[in-house]
Amino acid sequence: MAIEKLISSFAGLVDNCTSTRDLQKLKQIHGRIIRVGVSPHDFIRAKLVAAYASCAQMSQASYIFSLTNRRSAFLYNSLIRGYSSLSLFSHSLSVFRQMLFARKPIDRHTLPVVLKSCCGLSAMRLGRQVHCAVVANGLASDLANLNALISMYSKCGDLAVARKVFDKMPERNLVTWSAMMAGYGVHGVFGEVFELFDEMVGAGLVPDGVTFTAVLAACSHGGFVEKGRKYFGMMEGRFGVRPRVEHYTCMVDMLGRAGLVEEAEELIVEMAVEPDEALWRAFLASCKLHGKVEVAERVAEKVYRYGRSPVRSHIDIRST
């Protein structure tokens, strides 16, 4: 009984590390687990695999996985998710194949991550097979699995099937709408992005940061400057969504493509978040395109003065 309580106690501590992704604390707890002698228990090993995977320590997670005798679906799911989160999609799918060969049951947490990996590899043929697995395992009404199907089909270019899945869904959440909008935006069907946004808001859903990223990216790639300004303005003003760096990047890219480099300059100087490399790349590319390198130099000087340094790799503006 004492050992069971000890295992339960350590399992809770490891779970906390999984949630917080605190690698240093996880290593300390793992050391204690080894010292008290409960590390050989498969339940603890499964928890450790999940924790190390959440901390992006896949070599350690894989090693503990190899030591585990009774490998549950949870254990496989942890590795599949861990590899996929690091964009190691081939590794993720390899573990999924091992799971199938071991005849482990698939649960509602397995296939969304597998579909993400299919999408990452543009493996739509495999994605279609996984779609069959979704249906065969009784998950055809599961929201997370359906959202993953929409993302996979839309990003792989089959918008018709993605929309068919979308239209048949009995329930939709923000992830659903955002995934469909992002798919249309990536493939240049910009009108559908804006129609879906209006339909979503009309249905009573409040857009979040992911939704606005999809919409603003469509405005940028489609050259819809006025729409972009409108959507960016309504983020915080109407919906209380504070713009993040990816939203500013979309706006800077949109303005830069349209030749409105000075307006992009003003936006960068006034933005409340730290510019990242993607934003600087978009801005400097537009400055170069429109022959306004002096604007880039001026912005770099202002941002540096305000204590927000440009990305080091882009300091030499004239070489970009």
Side-chain angles (χ1 to χ4, degrees), residues 55-111:
C55 293
Q57 303 297 303
M58 295 310 300
S59 59
Q60 183 71 3
S62 181
Y63 174 70
I64 298 172
F65 176 87
S66 70
L67 299 176
T68 308
N69 297 315
R70 291 176 295 177
R71 297 172 182 171
S72 63
F74 171 83
L75 196 61
Y76 281 97
N77 288 345
S78 297
L79 270 191
I80 293 168
R81 185 183 305 108
Y83 281 124
S84 184
S85 68
L86 295 174
S87 299
L88 298 171
F89 303 122
S90 295
H91 289 75
S92 178
L93 293 177
S94 176
V95 176
F96 176 59
R97 292 188 184 95
Q98 293 176 38
M99 184 179 186
L100 296 179
F101 291 148
R103 298 186 179 276
K104 297 298 177 180
I106 292 171
D107 62 27
R108 62 181 298 271
H109 302 290
T110 307
L111 298 180

Side-chain angles (χ1 to χ4, degrees), residues 26-62:
L26 173 60
K27 288 180 176 179
Q28 293 171 353
I29 293 169
H30 192 180
R32 290 169 58 192
I33 287 171
I34 293 171
R35 285 194 296 273
V36 300
V38 296
S39 60
H41 290 264
D42 286 340
F43 180 69
I44 286 291
R45 283 176 172 167
K47 295 291 186 180
L48 286 169
V49 167
Y52 277 111
S54 73
C55 293
Q57 303 297 303
M58 295 310 300
S59 59
Q60 183 71 3
S62 181

Side-chain angles (χ1 to χ4, degrees), residues 35-303:
R35 285 194 296 273
V36 300
V38 296
S39 60
H41 290 264
D42 286 340
F43 180 69
I44 286 291
R45 283 176 172 167
K47 295 291 186 180
L48 286 169
V49 167
Y52 277 111
S54 73
C55 293
Q57 303 297 303
M58 295 310 300
S59 59
Q60 183 71 3
S62 181
Y63 174 70
I64 298 172
F65 176 87
S66 70
L67 299 176
T68 308
N69 297 315
R70 291 176 295 177
R71 297 172 182 171
S72 63
F74 171 83
L75 196 61
Y76 281 97
N77 288 345
S78 297
L79 270 191
I80 293 168
R81 185 183 305 108
Y83 281 124
S84 184
S85 68
L86 295 174
S87 299
L88 298 171
F89 303 122
S90 295
H91 289 75
S92 178
L93 293 177
S94 176
V95 176
F96 176 59
R97 292 188 184 95
Q98 293 176 38
M99 184 179 186
L100 296 179
F101 291 148
R103 298 186 179 276
K104 297 298 177 180
I106 292 171
D107 62 27
R108 62 181 298 271
H109 302 290
T110 307
L111 298 180
V113 187
V114 173
L115 286 165
K116 177 187 174 182
S117 296
C118 292
C119 179
L121 296 172
S122 298
M124 189 161 64
R125 181 179 178 183
L126 179 57
R128 289 195 179 104
Q129 295 174 354
V130 177
H131 188 171
C132 294
V134 169
V135 176
N137 285 275
L139 300 168
S141 297
D142 181 76
L143 189 57
N145 279 271
L146 293 175
N147 287 343
L149 283 170
I150 290 173
S151 291
M152 187 276 296
Y153 279 118
S154 62
K155 290 179 181 177
C156 288
D158 198 335
L159 292 173
V161 175
R163 187 58 188 257
K164 186 176 180 180
V165 173
F166 178 89
D167 288 338
K168 288 185 175 182
M169 290 177 69
E171 176 190 2
R172 301 182 187 120
N173 60 9
L174 278 177
V175 176
T176 314
W177 292 91
S178 299
M180 195 70 246
M181 280 186 257
Y184 278 128
V186 165
H187 296 286
V189 191
F190 304 120
E192 290 289 346
V193 177
F194 307 133
E195 286 184 19
L196 281 175
F197 181 87
D198 292 339
E199 187 179 341
M200 183 195 75
V201 173
L205 278 78
V206 177
D208 62 4
V210 176
T211 311
F212 276 110
T213 298
V215 175
L216 292 174
C219 293
S220 173
H221 296 148
F224 298 97
V225 175
E226 286 304 318
K227 280 184 177 292
R229 289 176 179 143
K230 181 188 76 171
Y231 287 121
F232 188 75
M234 72 171 63
M235 284 184 69
E236 200 158 11
R238 180 177 172 186
F239 296 108
V241 179
R242 181 172 295 181
R244 298 193 301 264
V245 68
E246 58 265 31
H247 304 118
Y248 283 104
T249 301
C250 289
M251 289 297 293
V252 167
D253 186 53
M254 178 192 74
L255 295 169
R257 287 170 186 254
L260 301 170
V261 178
E262 286 79 7
E263 187 175 342
E265 171 191 6
E266 184 178 344
L267 188 66
I268 293 172
V269 172
E270 294 180 353
M271 63 189 282
V273 296
E274 186 79 16
D276 66 358
E277 186 172 355
L279 186 146
W280 282 114
R281 191 183 299 117
F283 180 64
L284 297 176
S286 65
C287 288
K288 185 176 181 180
L289 176 66
H290 298 287
K292 296 186 177 181
V293 175
E294 74 282 356
V295 177
E297 292 176 330
R298 187 167 65 236
V299 172
E301 182 181 349
K302 287 180 181 178
V303 171

